[in-house]
Amino acid sequence: MSLFDENVSVVPAPHTRRPRGAVVGVWALTIALVVLLVITFLPTAYVIQRPGPVFNTLGTAADANNKQVPLISISGAKTYPTAGTLDLLTVQVVGDRDRTPSWLELAAAWFDPSKAVLPIDAVFPQGQTTRQRDQESAEMMTDSQKEATAAALSHLGYRVTPRITVQGFTDASASADVLRKGDVITHADGTTITDVDTLRKVIAKADGAPVTMTVLRDGASTTVRVTPRKSTSAGTTTWLIGVTLLTDFTFPIDVTLQLNNVGGPSAGMMFALGIIDTLTPGDLNGGKNVAGTGTIDAKGDVGAIGGIRQKMYGAKGAGAAYFLAPRSNCDEVVGHIPSGLRVFAVGTLDDSLHVLDALRTGSDIAALPTCTGS
């Protein structure tokens, strides 16, 4: 038995040429794949900002030993049960100077409303090491917690004593030979100094004349005289004494805020609200899920923060129905609010408490301030 019929001739099939269009298409696809492969590994000059972890100030957080502890702990005063959430938001940065996101990652982030593509210099300044950046961020978080505690306790009627302390000196400082690190500045030209802005105003008023200061040094009061030095920038004259200052406080009760590996000042307002809720009966938020962001100072003024778009998406993802946004961030809020999230504009701690009071009592929240387009 044969495999082929011997009486049949086999004629080879004629060779057909591919159409020119198909050849061009194959080459175009090949080139596109090569270009795609190349740009995947090319370095970029951008990083990606995306929503980070969300923390309920009324709940718990991991300590340095990864043990869950209350985020807000208070001793020396009566505390009360809470309900619902008062969430603080964080932002994560994808990439650094050692490893930037690929062009494909950047392209995907560009079309994701919950993410932002930023120049790397805007997040990691030239000349600043990662360690320096982390240290600066941690210091801002510490200062934020102190200011938040001062704002909350002052609102509740506690006596809070501020202290303006000399932390260091700038190059060619006008006061390096007069003031010392650790000095607490209590008065300047007869004015009681309770914050850095007040001290700046006294120095500016002196217009270059020596400023007489009363400081606490090693527990004793002493008087010194500092002659400011003139600095001119962009046509504006400023009188400087060349010091770095830290605002600290003496509190009548012990408030501990536990939040590891999170830096920056933007959680201040939510810290203050969480402290007030913990120290007062009832549920400040009416048991609802509320999130928010904003810096705060001891006077209760709420300031702008970065990454608010990502924080709104983080709040929505964590289940919050309401969001407290700094009024000064409204230009970034309008047109970028996730569906289902109600955003209110606040400028002070009292504004935030007014919103929470409306949520708790079931008042008409439609009358509360919101961010509107200009």
XYZ file of all heavy atoms in Angstrom, residues 45 92 146 231 366:
34
model
N 11.249 61.742 34.825
C 11.506 62.809 35.799
C 10.243 63.116 36.595
O 10.003 64.251 36.995
C 12.011 64.060 35.085
N 0.332 58.513 49.251
C 1.548 57.753 48.972
C 2.203 58.265 47.696
O 1.509 58.672 46.754
C 1.231 56.266 48.813
C 0.946 55.537 50.116
C 0.741 54.052 49.902
O 0.314 53.619 48.840
N 1.047 53.256 50.917
N 1.065 68.897 68.285
C 1.071 69.870 69.383
C 0.061 70.990 69.125
O -0.696 71.386 70.014
C 2.472 70.445 69.563
C 3.500 69.445 70.064
C 4.893 70.070 70.128
C 5.925 69.067 70.608
N 7.293 69.642 70.614
N 17.403 92.268 55.322
C 17.409 91.336 54.188
C 16.437 91.865 53.145
O 15.299 92.210 53.468
C 16.991 89.934 54.638
O 16.870 89.070 53.531
N -27.658 71.279 53.522
C -27.592 71.981 52.234
C -27.174 73.440 52.426
O -26.676 74.076 51.494
C -28.936 71.913 51.533
